[in-house]
Amino acid sequence: MRTQSLVYKLGVKIRILRKAAGLTQEQLAEAADMSVNFIGYVERGQRAPSIQTVERIAQALNVAPKALFEFSEDEASELLYETLLATARKCTPDDLRALIQVAKQLGNRSP
């Protein structure tokens, strides 16, 4: 298995969180007050962001900075998980309760 650098993993995580939030690179760049090119370089692991830049990107993604350093080996599953979390953050408590009830009912169904 190929060992990936921290810079590369950070870039992948930022891309996953950006997509989960439904943002384009342009929208993230604007929210973080950075250039689109720089965001692209970071997402591809070609540039290492400073601590201040990590903070601005995390704020623009509405996550804690430490979330940018929580890595998974399965990018597809992580994207699905982060998309679910990003969607849940936008829901009202009543919406969340209704979704939980639907999920429980689906889990109790026989195949």
Side-chain angles (χ1 to χ4, degrees):
M1 180 177 180
R2 184 179 145 236
T3 303
Q4 297 170 334
S5 73
L6 178 62
V7 173
Y8 177 81
K9 288 179 179 181
L10 176 61
V12 169
K13 183 66 175 205
I14 290 169
R15 182 175 59 246
I16 287 169
L17 291 169
R18 174 182 59 77
K19 288 182 177 184
L23 299 174
T24 64
Q25 284 185 342
E26 292 82 9
Q27 290 168 322
L28 176 58
E30 183 177 328
D33 194 29
M34 297 174 191
S35 76
V36 176
N37 288 340
F38 183 73
I39 293 294
Y41 288 134
V42 170
E43 286 189 2
R44 291 188 299 276
Q46 296 173 326
R47 291 270 170 35
S50 68
I51 297 298
Q52 292 84 6
T53 299
V54 166
E55 287 179 325
R56 288 176 26 207
I57 291 172
Q59 185 176 18
L61 291 170
N62 197 29
V63 299
K66 73 175 188 169
L68 299 180
F69 296 95
E70 295 169 350
F71 308 121
S72 169
E73 294 299 318
D74 184 357
E75 289 180 33
S77 293
E78 187 171 4
L79 177 57
L80 183 61
Y81 174 76
E82 293 295 347
T83 302
L84 179 62
L85 284 179
T87 303
R89 286 185 194 107
K90 297 175 188 172
C91 290
T92 67
D94 287 340
D95 291 339
L96 288 174
R97 281 190 280 282
L99 287 172
I100 290 168
Q101 287 301 317
V102 170
K104 285 179 181 177
Q105 290 172 357
L106 291 172
N108 292 332
R109 290 184 3 184
S110 304

